[in-house]
Amino acid sequence: MTLLPDPWWPVAVMALIVLVDGFLTFWPPKVIAACLDGVGLPRDWWWVLAVVKFLAAAGLVAGFWIPGVGLAAAVGLIVYFLTAAAAHLRAGYVGRDFWVNCLGLLVLNVLILVFCFLV
């Protein structure tokens, strides 16, 4: 196990994805708005998702220099996407958004955890 990511580039790519996704939460395209509405998240709580995503992106980037921070952010993203998957299942909103976006990003974050921090 390592406390600094190696290789670093998958972590950087995920930080960029999460950062962009955070901004898209404020001005969501129809597909993101439909997804958030589909799981029943009230619109006045959408800003919370953006804050979580911005903190995760910051943690991933800070983890390039501060040992353990990127690892913690990666674990936090896994918990975030597990929670999102549970919300999708609870709401019965299990279409393409669930399989591609939610579970896809969950799998990518698990792979980043394993191959950038644990192996």
Side-chain angles (χ1 to χ4, degrees):
M1 180 163 83
T2 179
L3 295 178
L4 293 173
D6 181 30
W8 63 270
W9 65 266
V11 177
V13 170
M14 184 54 63
L16 180 61
I17 290 170
V18 174
L19 181 67
V20 169
D21 193 26
F23 282 112
L24 288 176
T25 305
F26 289 114
W27 304 281
K30 289 181 184 180
V31 65
I32 292 175
C35 181
L36 295 175
D37 287 334
V39 298
L41 185 65
R43 288 182 179 247
D44 58 340
W45 279 85
W46 288 10
W47 68 271
V48 174
L49 297 180
V51 169
V52 169
K53 293 169 187 177
F54 293 151
L55 289 172
L60 290 173
V61 171
F64 295 141
W65 299 279
I66 306 170
V69 173
L71 174 62
V75 170
L77 279 170
I78 291 169
V79 171
Y80 172 84
F81 285 111
L82 283 171
T83 304
H88 278 263
L89 292 171
R90 182 181 52 91
Y93 192 78
V94 291
R96 185 193 65 82
D97 295 331
F98 172 69
W99 292 102
V100 175
N101 300 340
C102 184
L103 292 185
L105 285 170
L106 174 60
V107 168
L108 283 175
N109 279 284
V110 168
L111 290 173
I112 286 171
L113 175 68
V114 170
F115 290 108
C116 295
F117 292 99
L118 300 180
V119 175

